[in-house]
Structures are given as structure tokens and as C-alpha cells.
Amino acid sequence: MRMQEVRKLFLSFTFVASVMYITDGFSIMGIYFSDIFRFEGSFLKEYSGQLYLPLLLFLFLGIVLGRFFCGWICPITAIMNITTVFARKKPKINLKTKYVFLFFTVVVLYFEYTGKLSLTNELLKLGFLLGITAIVVASLFYSRIFCTNICPLGAFFSILGYVSIFRLDVGEDCKKCHRCNSVCEMGIDVMNSKPMNECSLCWNCVEECPYKSIRLRFILS
């Protein structure tokens, strides 16, 4: 089985699991999605005790594999794989905008946690629906714009990508055919980008390279 087929299975599973989660099909780590919209007071204070483990897992995953979560686990990626078929433009990495969204997200969560901002049930529901709709519509015109320019979690993993210990590396036997660049989902210049912190390990370039010049490397070796 090719790596892309394995990846599609992973993304299909996480997408279905997310839909079931949203529709109250099952709980994750003791939290039902329907319960999230029934909190009183601070959302973060209500669920902070159950959010430490996912945060630690995200931190560990990012340090080991950078933006692997974005390419293999994130349910939004499953949606992007569909919308990118209709997108008129290829992605162009903007290293600034997603970090602005990350900063804004951290500020909002801080004020929400300290009680200076109240995220009501109705506001959370409306924001969720509007956010998903905007992501899908925008991605129909600009391939993976959410992943490359907006997603605060993607920005978080991009930062960790600078110190990740496993990264794709282009070997000296590369013939500069540019085929890797043409299939990169994140719009990266695969041949010249160092340290590839934006790479989501989608594996397209590895399977596309006719010279097998691109390999996953343990940088501490």
C-alpha cells in the first residue's frame, strides 16, 4: 500500500470521527461535544483539566514531526483535499498572516480564561458554523488558504517545525526537475526550503520524485 493511501485512510477516519463527535456520536477524553455548548462561565476553566493532555500530545507531536498533524490527522485537511480539486489558485505560503491569527487566538483565549471575555453558547455555535462555512468557500477559490495562511494551530506546528527532529530532506542526488514543487500541498519550494518547517509530511514529493532524492531524516543523527 502506498503512503498516500495510508494517509487517506487516516484522514477519512479523523473526518468521520470528527463528524460523529460534533453530532454527539461519542465522547473524546470524557467530553461530549454537546456538553461543550452547555458550559457556564469560562469555557477554558470548565474544561482546562481535560485539555492538558491534548496540548501535551500536540507539543510532543510537533517537536518530533513538525506539521505532521496538519497532513495526516486534521479533519480540515480531509475537506481541503476535496475543495482543492475546484480551487482556481495554488497556495502561496504567507509566513506572517497565520501567526497573526495565532496571536489573536491566544489573546482571545487568555481574556476568556480570565473572565474578561465571555464566549456564550450562542456565540460559540455561530462562530463555529460561520468559520467552517468561510473555510470551505474560501478554499474553493484559493487552494488550502486556511492551512497555509489562517490556521492558528498550523502556525503553532510551523513554529515547532523549526526544532522538529524528523524532517524531509532533499539529497545531493537531486536533479532539480521541480516535480516535487509541483505536487507540494503547502506550496513549498521543496528543493530550497530549509528547515522545511511548513512541510506537513503529505509525502507527495517523496512519491513523485523519480530519483528518490527526498527522504525522511533524523536530524540528530
Side-chain angles (χ1 to χ4, degrees):
M1 181 179 291
R2 296 176 58 199
M3 193 68 77
Q4 280 300 318
E5 295 173 345
V6 175
R7 177 172 171 256
K8 288 178 180 179
L9 288 176
F10 268 84
L11 290 173
S12 297
F13 171 79
T14 56
F15 178 76
V16 172
S18 298
V19 172
M20 294 180 67
Y21 182 42
I22 292 173
T23 57
D24 202 19
F26 63 87
S27 65
I28 294 179
M29 303 183 71
I31 304 175
Y32 280 95
F33 196 85
S34 58
D35 293 338
I36 290 179
F37 293 122
R38 296 172 186 168
F39 65 91
E40 294 182 4
S42 170
F43 169 76
L44 285 181
K45 285 185 177 179
E46 184 83 17
Y47 297 104
S48 60
Q50 297 161 301
L51 295 174
Y52 284 124
L53 182 56
L55 182 59
L56 289 175
L57 289 175
F58 281 172
L59 185 63
F60 173 78
L61 185 63
I63 292 175
V64 175
L65 292 168
R67 290 193 70 167
F68 174 83
F69 176 89
C70 303
W72 287 74
I73 302 175
C74 180
I76 299 296
T77 300
I79 299 176
M80 297 298 100
N81 286 344
I82 298 174
T83 59
T84 193
V85 176
F86 306 97
R88 299 177 181 178
K89 296 181 180 180
K90 291 293 183 180
K92 292 182 180 179
I93 297 297
N94 186 324
L95 295 178
K96 298 179 181 179
T97 55
K98 62 176 174 290
Y99 296 118
V100 173
F101 281 102
L102 174 61
F103 175 78
F104 177 75
T105 301
V106 171
V107 170
V108 169
L109 291 178
Y110 170 76
F111 281 114
E112 198 277 337
Y113 183 76
T114 57
K116 297 178 181 179
L117 176 68
S118 177
L119 296 177
T120 64
N121 296 345
E122 292 74 18
L123 184 61
L124 196 61
K125 289 179 182 178
L126 179 62
F128 178 81
L129 292 174
L130 290 178
I132 291 295
T133 302
I135 289 170
V136 172
V137 173
S139 298
L140 291 174
F141 297 93
Y142 200 137
S143 180
R144 301 183 190 276
I145 187 174
F146 177 75
C147 305
T148 57
N149 292 271
I150 300 174
C151 180
L153 189 58
F156 172 74
F157 283 121
S158 293
I159 294 173
L160 294 179
Y162 282 106
V163 297
S164 59
I165 60 177
F166 283 99
R167 306 174 194 169
L168 288 183
D169 182 63
V170 180
E172 295 180 357
D173 51 343
C174 172
K175 305 300 182 182
K176 307 293 183 182
C177 67
H178 295 275
R179 290 176 63 172
C180 55
N181 289 352
S182 67
V183 297
C184 177
E185 291 186 354
M186 303 301 290
I188 301 172
D189 183 355
V190 179
M191 296 180 297
N192 301 308
S193 293
K194 300 291 183 181
M196 293 277 283
N197 66 299
E198 296 289 341
C199 175
S200 65
L201 295 177
C202 71
W203 220 252
N204 285 343
C205 61
V206 177
E207 295 187 342
E208 182 69 18
C209 180
Y211 309 105
K212 307 302 178 184
S213 301
I214 307 174
R215 308 171 186 88
L216 187 65
R217 184 168 68 92
F218 179 54
I219 66 167
L220 300 182
S221 61

